[in-house]
Amino acid sequence: MPERLTPLAVCALALLAERPMHPYEIAQLLRARGQDQDVKLRIPSLYHAIERLERDGLIEVSGVDREGNRPERTTYRLLKAGRDAMERQVIVWLQAPRAEFPVLPVAVGEAHFLTRAEVERVLAERRDAVARERAAVRVFQEAALDKGVPRRMLLGKEFTLHRLDAEPRVGRLSPVRSRERGP
Amino acid sequence: MPERLTPLAVCALALLAERPMHPYEIAQLLRARGQDQDVKLRIPSLYHAIERLERDGLIEVSGVDREGNRPERTTYRLLKAGRDAMERQVIVWLQAPRAEFPVLPVAVGEAHFLTRAEVERVLAERRDAVARERAAVRVFQEAALDKGVPRRMLLGKEFTLHRLDAEPRVGRLSPVRSRERGP
DNA sequence: GTCACACTAGTCGGCGTTGAATACTCCACC
DNA sequence: GGTGGAGTATTCAACGCCGACTAGTGTGAC
């Protein structure tokens, strides 16, 4: 019983809690709900994740069908063990912050290998990129709220906005020295 | 020329820019400097990363020695290509935010599978954990500054503090409904 | 009617990560 | 003089991730 679930696996289990689905359908729903901004969704990873969930007895095949000549679609159903495992994993994630490792601190830490001018240029580009991303998230959020999507499903967006708003500090934290040329 | 470097690879290259070292020595230095709080340092990952760097011509073996009966130590040296690749990667990371996927938004998004009481309990635990972590980071930071470590090397800690301070919002964002029992 | 393009549905193979194991040294303590 | 724990230095195998590919279906434009 390994039962350490990946974020994608938890999302898949959560959707299967609504009704049985086939993997591709799960992917579509995740995208439609904008959850692909919270979890890294790669189709092959999803298929592997589903396989593991089945192997571990958290879900089971509920049917295989095919339309015309298209590939077979295997539909899966959530099992009790799967529901429990998902809830345990959510508790673990809420309970304590995990050590996660964003690359920005590393990049800032090694920025002294660059010239001050280079650092200033790329950080300016970054500020623009952040502003664009922020705007895009807001558009998505507003559109969803207008369509009546409950706020509960959009909490991820609120986090993202908080995170993006905290970012501009980076610009104010760049004590770099001029380039030394090594090997 | 794949040349997409992992964070650990960049840190290794950065240390090799100081002088040739063997992998274990790199690990020790990273720990000594507290950089293992910014990058995920697992010894086997480091060995693999070094192997790849050598294979890709970014570093080269500068010698193999052994003390007594201990395992051989292979020392590596930074090459020009490695230095350039590292700088390019740092620029990429500074230039634009990458989509990174912390688990907290996912957990909050699926928290409606739990009862309100459970959510409140685990979030309270989380707040304590965050406070403890914050305190520990401050201690490390102060100690380092006292020892004369330059602030540039401690920017990662400042980021961490900002991130931890933003966290308590989570508690104020928990519109959960009471438990529904599904399959 | 056919060509280009987008969508549906899934597989394959190589890359990177990591818990566990190995094996030896040094040192303290009893 | 032996046992146990911490540190040194590396390897192994299983796992998870993902770019690239396959292969069929619908669709609009010329």
Side-chain angles (χ1 to χ4, degrees):
Chain A
M1 46 213 80
E3 231 134 286
R4 276 165 58 264
L5 299 173
T6 64
L8 189 52
V10 166
C11 289
L13 291 171
L15 289 186
L16 289 176
E18 294 180 19
R19 61 185 160 80
M21 296 181 211
H22 56 97
Y24 196 83
E25 198 178 351
I26 291 173
Q28 285 177 108
L29 251 178
L30 284 175
R31 282 201 252 259
R33 297 189 183 174
Q35 278 196 278
D36 56 340
Q37 288 163 31
D38 295 339
V39 256
K40 187 160 202 168
L41 172 58
R42 273 327 102 101
I43 299 290
S45 305
L46 178 60
Y47 280 90
H48 277 296
I50 296 280
E51 248 166 52
R52 293 193 301 269
L53 292 174
E54 194 200 353
R55 181 203 60 197
D56 295 345
L58 304 186
I59 61 177
E60 68 179 9
V61 173
S62 88
V64 178
D65 63 320
R66 101 180 304 166
E67 271 176 46
N69 244 3
R70 294 196 189 174
E72 286 185 342
R73 290 182 311 186
T74 306
T75 299
Y76 295 87
R77 174 200 353 253
L78 183 63
L79 295 176
K80 176 77 165 57
R83 167 134 199 163
D84 292 347
M86 172 189 62
E87 290 182 6
R88 278 198 301 277
Q89 187 61 71
V90 169
I91 288 175
V92 167
W93 285 338
L94 289 175
Q95 212 154 26
R98 304 203 299 183
E100 287 172 329
F101 300 90
V103 294
L104 185 55
V106 177
V108 172
E110 310 303 351
H112 61 274
F113 286 104
L114 309 175
T115 63
R116 163 151 232 136
E118 260 173 319
V119 172
E120 272 161 13
R121 181 175 55 75
V122 295
L123 286 183
E125 287 178 39
R126 185 188 186 89
R127 277 190 290 272
D128 294 348
V130 169
R132 280 194 301 277
E133 196 182 323
R134 210 207 119 93
V137 174
R138 286 249 56 197
V139 167
F140 181 97
Q141 188 192 32
E142 294 293 340
L145 287 172
D146 287 351
K147 269 184 282 183
V149 175
R151 176 165 173 246
R152 163 171 57 80
M153 287 188 171
L154 295 166
L155 287 175
K157 305 297 152 294
E158 295 184 22
F159 275 111
T160 305
L161 292 174
H162 281 314
R163 183 169 54 72
L164 292 176
D165 289 339
E167 269 245 351
R169 295 168 206 277
V170 182
R172 271 174 267 136
L173 284 177
S174 51
V176 285
R177 57 187 165 77
S178 48
R179 190 189 212 97
E180 305 173 342
R181 267 295 169 193
Chain B
M1 44 215 78
E3 232 134 284
R4 277 164 57 262
L5 300 173
T6 64
L8 189 52
V10 165
C11 289
L13 291 172
L15 289 186
L16 290 176
E18 293 180 20
R19 59 184 161 79
M21 298 181 208
H22 57 94
Y24 196 83
E25 198 178 350
I26 291 173
Q28 283 177 112
L29 251 178
L30 284 174
R31 280 199 254 259
R33 298 188 182 174
Q35 278 196 278
D36 57 338
Q37 288 163 31
D38 295 339
V39 258
K40 187 158 204 170
L41 172 58
R42 273 328 100 99
I43 301 290
S45 305
L46 178 60
Y47 279 91
H48 279 298
I50 297 278
E51 245 166 55
R52 292 191 303 267
L53 291 174
E54 194 201 353
R55 182 202 59 196
D56 296 346
L58 305 186
I59 61 176
E60 67 179 10
V61 173
S62 89
V64 178
D65 63 321
R66 99 180 306 163
E67 272 175 46
N69 245 2
R70 291 196 194 175
E72 286 185 341
R73 289 182 311 185
T74 307
T75 300
Y76 295 87
R77 173 199 355 252
L78 182 63
L79 297 176
K80 175 77 165 57
R83 168 133 196 164
D84 293 347
M86 173 189 63
E87 290 183 6
R88 277 198 302 278
Q89 186 62 71
V90 169
I91 287 176
V92 168
W93 285 337
L94 289 175
Q95 211 155 27
R98 305 202 300 182
E100 287 173 329
F101 299 89
V103 294
L104 185 54
V106 177
V108 172
E110 310 303 350
H112 60 275
F113 285 106
L114 310 176
T115 63
R116 162 151 232 135
E118 260 173 320
V119 172
E120 272 162 12
R121 181 174 55 75
V122 295
L123 286 183
E125 287 177 40
R126 184 186 187 91
R127 277 189 290 272
D128 293 349
V130 169
R132 279 194 301 278
E133 197 182 321
R134 209 208 120 93
V137 173
R138 285 249 57 195
V139 167
F140 181 95
Q141 187 193 31
E142 293 292 340
L145 287 171
D146 288 351
K147 269 184 281 183
V149 175
R151 174 163 174 250
R152 164 170 58 79
M153 286 188 171
L154 294 166
L155 287 174
K157 305 294 151 295
E158 295 184 22
F159 276 112
T160 306
L161 291 174
H162 282 313
R163 183 170 54 71
L164 293 176
D165 289 340
E167 268 245 352
R169 295 168 207 277
V170 183
R172 272 175 264 134
L173 284 176
S174 51
V176 284
R177 57 188 166 75
S178 49
R179 190 189 210 97
E180 310 172 338
R181 266 295 169 193

